[in-house]
Amino acid sequence: MVTPDEVERRFTLLTAATRFDELRRRDALAPPGAEDPDPQAVPLTRDEALELLALGEVLIRKAGYGRQLTVRTARATGASWSQVGSALGTSKQSAWETHLRWLEEQADPDE
C-alpha cells in the first residue's frame, strides 16, 4: 500500500512534483467514467490514484518544511516579521505565530 511516508522516502520535492504533475495530467485527460476520453489518454489505475493522493500529501509536507526554513533564512538576513508576513500574504503576527509553532514542534516532535 502506498503511504506518504513511503513516497517521501522515494522522492525529492522536485521528483515528487514531476510525478504528481504527470499523474494529475493523465487523470485530467482520462477521468474515470468520461464519456469521450482522449483515445491516447491512459486512465489511472487504482494504485496510481492512491500514489497521486500520497504524492499530494508529500508535496504539502516538503513545501511546508521548506517554507519554514526560508522564513528562518529571511529572518537571519534581516527581514522583519512584517516583511515576512507580507511575503507570505499574511500578517506579521500570523507569520511569527506559525513559525514559532514550527520551531516548537522541531524541538519536541512527540507533542
Side-chain angles (χ1 to χ4, degrees):
M1 173 178 272
V2 176
T3 66
D5 291 338
E6 184 265 325
V7 169
E8 192 167 16
R9 285 188 296 272
R10 284 189 2 222
F11 292 96
T12 66
L13 177 59
L14 182 59
T15 59
T18 300
R19 178 69 173 154
F20 179 87
D21 189 50
E22 172 191 323
L23 292 175
R24 185 67 196 103
R25 191 170 320 137
R26 277 186 43 213
D27 190 41
L29 292 174
E35 291 183 21
D36 293 318
D38 182 336
Q40 296 181 352
V42 179
L44 298 181
T45 65
R46 178 184 58 209
D47 287 345
E48 288 171 329
L50 293 171
E51 180 184 4
L52 181 59
L53 287 171
L55 283 163
E57 179 60 28
V58 166
L59 291 172
I60 290 166
R61 288 180 187 183
K62 287 183 180 287
Y65 184 69
R67 176 185 186 207
Q68 293 305 326
L69 293 177
T70 306
V71 167
R72 182 184 67 187
T73 300
R75 290 287 297 150
T77 60
S80 70
W81 282 111
S82 292
Q83 291 170 318
V84 170
S86 180
L88 294 172
T90 188
S91 69
K92 68 179 181 181
Q93 182 72 23
S94 178
W96 179 80
E97 288 173 357
T98 301
H99 188 66
L100 182 62
R101 273 194 304 275
W102 180 80
L103 288 174
E104 289 170 348
E105 290 169 2
Q106 297 307 301
D108 192 359
D110 293 331
E111 287 187 5

